[in-house]
Amino acid sequence: MTQKVAIIGGGIVGATVAYYLSQLPGHEQQEVTLYDDGTGQATKAAAGIISPWLSKRRNKQWYELAKRGAELLPQLAREANFDNEVYQQTGTIITRTDEADLDALYLLAEKRRTETAQMGEVLKLSAEEVAQRIPLLTNAQPGVFVSGGARLDGSKYIDALLKIATNRNLTIKQQRVTLNSDGNVMMGSKLERFDRVVVATGAWMKETLKPLDIDVDVRPQKGQLIELSVKNIESHQVMPVLMPEGERDFIPFGNGQLVVGATHEDDATFNLEATGEAKDDLFRSAKQMIADLTIDKVTGMRVGTRGYTSDFAPFFGPIPFFNKVMVAGGLGSSGLTTGPIIGKLLAGSVIFGGQPDWSKFEKDINLYISKK
């Protein structure tokens, strides 16, 4: 018997759910429709770093989730045949200027490497050794190199997965929809009935779930990045991603392309206008790394809206008092790392049913979703 599934939101979670609903055993019985108008989507604006292992977040469940996400991505890249513009294991470098802080970071990396094969090689690098690996830098700092780190282009990731899914059982409708009180999809006045609904609308989730008389702990946060044209160093087309202390993330893509960002703007709500203030801030951060950089090298900006919870932890799973509807939200700035594993878990639950125990990866979902 065919199960009709709706996915509302085509960001990293929604696209991953759609992909796995077209690949996992039982996909032949799934008829999937994805709704998304693309407005403000955080994933399409993101060019992110996959390197959660040296995070000092105290939330152990978040770390387990992010660790699993970082392990899943190279497998997914092979299965979906991603090219290097989508996902590439480049290694990451996290810098510290204080020697004691650098030693502590290195010891943390060594400890976690014993538990996590995906981390690969861990090295403590001098400033000179960092500059050798990223010759764009004129003001390198000492750091810790983790060879298993990677970069992911969010927009290209989505496009690649949805293309695969549409060749099997996915229909995409590029429009914004609402739910009715029964959890079915409303396209204007037209009702579409589904057996399961997955809501992954990020910062817009409050609005999406409003007809169910549900309150959600999600707030919007604006993020902006800049794209720059830099020196093309043919001998270094693959450079590590840099997480410099006190500066914005530094993501070289080779062929003279560089992305720097992102901002975290809590007061901008759903404003998607690229601002001169953000451009100047991000450029100043880039110039700290490349002294001879000039403002005319900025070739573009990306703007998106992330969804955050009050404790910065993601939540996902069936709504406890409305099991037909599953949700995923609050991923924040770690969405490119945690989104794929959340999407796979949700897809498995849609197909196989049951009441999976995801307490290893998240706090009680009732902390974030409640009846009004």
Side-chain angles (χ1 to χ4, degrees), residues 32-80:
V32 187
T33 305
L34 183 145
Y35 301 92
D36 193 308
D37 68 353
T39 302
Q41 189 186 98
T43 308
K44 283 192 174 293
I49 299 172
I50 310 301
S51 187
W53 308 290
L54 302 190
S55 170
K56 293 186 178 180
R57 285 200 196 193
R58 295 181 181 179
N59 185 337
K60 292 181 180 179
Q61 290 153 307
W62 174 88
Y63 179 69
E64 286 298 322
L65 182 70
K67 184 172 70 170
R68 283 284 298 275
E71 291 169 354
L72 173 65
L73 272 166
Q75 302 170 24
L76 177 54
R78 289 190 294 271
E79 292 170 8

Side-chain angles (χ1 to χ4, degrees), residues 50 53 87 89-92 118-121 145-150:
I50 310 301
W53 308 290
Y87 173 87
Q89 188 172 308
T90 59
T92 51
Q118 182 59 35
M119 285 181 68
E121 184 180 27
F145 171 76
V146 180
S147 69

Side-chain angles (χ1 to χ4, degrees), residues 83-105:
D83 62 35
N84 289 338
E85 291 187 357
V86 180
Y87 173 87
Q88 187 168 28
Q89 188 172 308
T90 59
T92 51
I93 298 175
I94 302 92
T95 68
R96 293 290 184 270
T97 53
D98 181 85
E99 185 68 25
D101 290 346
L102 183 65
D103 288 340
L105 189 68

